Amino acid sequence: MQKRNTQQRRRGIIETLNERGEVAVDELSKVFSTSEVTIRKDLAELENNGLLLRRFGGAVLLPKDASELSSEKLSSRKLAISKLAATLIQDHNRIIIDGGSTTSALLPHLPKKLGLVVMTNSLQVANTLLEGENEPQVLMTGGTWDAQSHSFQGQMAENMLRAYNFDQAFLGAAGLDIERGSTTFNELTSLSRTMAEVSKQVIVMAESEKLERKIPNVELPWSQISILVTDDGLDEDAKQKIEKRGVTVMCATCIC
């Protein structure tokens, strides 16, 4: 019964969002007679399924171009980005892999690399690495579990990162802002910034369509990003503006 109620509530959230264009957590809590914590979990799950975009205090419809992209097309973009990003990893590198679907797409390429040390704040990333062949040395950040990002965050995780030095950090992004850098709905940005601080090279992996997303929180300013690996949907004007910020832009060819 609980599962059915959850599914009905989430369908109702999508219907309300389609009618209004945006929804607020406090209003949804009253409409569906449930806690704001439950509504936030609903919005997180719906965002993970590509049905909406969360913003502070609620959610909005996906940009038109993004909503028209099929999951197969998005997957092709992420696979192309991950394949290109993997070429940056050398044998015996010490790397950080942040939690997220785009960064996780790196994992199938890692068995080809020798002697890697991989730090992650994602249980999914750690488990996948340990189940594969030629497994690298895997380190976990530990810390406080964050249900919104499905990863460990907090001071303990930051302290663990600062105990090491890394060659590269691979991070995803909920959005990209040409003027500001990578953006996120999650207000917990300090761990990403710590990952950048302890790494010689910071690689952000993100689809070009994420430039369409208007997201309030800056995760990493361009000054902290070494390389943006994206797809060939990025227009030349945007590419040049990002490169003027001192960032190397690599565009993967996507056969979509």
Side-chain angles (χ1 to χ4, degrees):
M1 180 62 71
Q2 183 178 359
K3 184 176 181 181
R4 186 185 307 168
N5 290 340
T6 298
Q7 292 172 341
Q8 290 173 345
R9 186 177 62 251
R10 290 175 180 174
R11 281 198 294 269
I13 290 171
I14 293 299
E15 289 172 2
T16 303
L17 183 59
N18 286 332
E19 290 173 4
R20 301 181 183 178
E22 61 179 334
V23 291
V25 169
D26 56 351
E27 291 180 3
L28 292 174
S29 175
K30 294 173 184 176
V31 169
F32 294 102
S33 301
T34 189
S35 70
E36 293 188 6
V37 171
T38 297
I39 293 298
R40 289 192 184 94
K41 289 180 179 178
D42 289 338
L43 296 181
E45 185 61 28
L46 292 169
E47 184 183 46
N48 288 338
N49 290 331
L51 298 174
L52 53 76
L53 285 176
R54 283 182 294 169
R55 63 169 176 76
F56 183 73
V60 296
L61 286 170
L62 283 166
K64 184 176 179 182
D65 290 344
S67 62
E68 289 175 350
L69 290 170
S70 67
S71 59
E72 181 179 351
K73 195 168 185 178
L74 280 172
S75 177
S76 297
R77 290 173 184 268
K78 289 181 180 181
L79 290 172
I81 289 169
S82 66
K83 183 177 181 180
L84 182 57
T87 64
L88 298 169
I89 303 173
Q90 304 297 316
D91 290 347
H92 306 290
N93 271 12
R94 300 163 67 91
I95 67 175
I96 300 170
I97 300 180
D98 193 15
S101 57
T102 307
T103 49
S104 295
L106 273 173
L107 303 183
H109 302 285
L110 297 189
K112 301 174 185 177
K113 313 292 182 179
L114 300 176
L116 293 181
V117 176
V118 181
M119 172 81 82
T120 184
N121 61 332
S122 165
L123 284 175
Q124 179 187 357
V125 169
N127 288 333
T128 301
L129 289 172
L130 292 172
E131 290 170 358
E133 296 180 6
N134 191 28
E135 65 183 58
Q137 181 180 349
V138 178
L139 305 173
M140 285 292 298
T141 61
T144 302
W145 181 254
D146 175 50
Q148 183 173 334
S149 64
H150 299 283
S151 62
F152 289 103
Q153 303 285 335
Q155 189 65 51
M156 184 182 297
E158 293 173 33
N159 291 342
M160 183 67 170
L161 283 164
R162 289 194 174 102
Y164 297 85
N165 292 311
F166 296 91
D167 297 297
Q168 296 163 310
F170 292 86
L171 297 93
L176 296 171
D177 186 299
I178 287 180
E179 300 299 324
R180 299 185 298 161
S182 63
T183 57
T184 179
F185 286 103
N186 197 327
E187 294 182 333
L188 299 174
T189 60
S190 59
L191 189 68
S192 298
R193 293 176 182 177
T194 303
M195 289 178 175
E197 289 170 9
V198 300
S199 302
K200 295 177 183 176
Q201 189 177 61
V202 179
I203 299 104
V204 170
M205 302 167 60
E207 302 104 312
S208 60
E209 59 92 12
K210 290 188 176 179
L211 278 168
E212 301 289 332
R213 299 184 178 182
K214 305 304 180 185
I215 300 174
N217 303 315
V218 175
E219 187 164 31
L220 289 178
W222 291 120
S223 60
Q224 286 190 286
I225 298 171
S226 311
I227 300 173
L228 170 65
V229 184
T230 185
D231 57 74
D232 54 7
L234 185 72
D235 66 64
E236 187 61 29
D237 181 59
K239 182 174 182 288
Q240 290 180 6
K241 287 180 178 178
I242 295 171
E243 288 176 334
K244 285 182 180 179
R245 301 279 177 178
V247 178
T248 299
V249 180
M250 300 172 65
C251 296
T253 301
C254 179
I255 302 174
C256 302

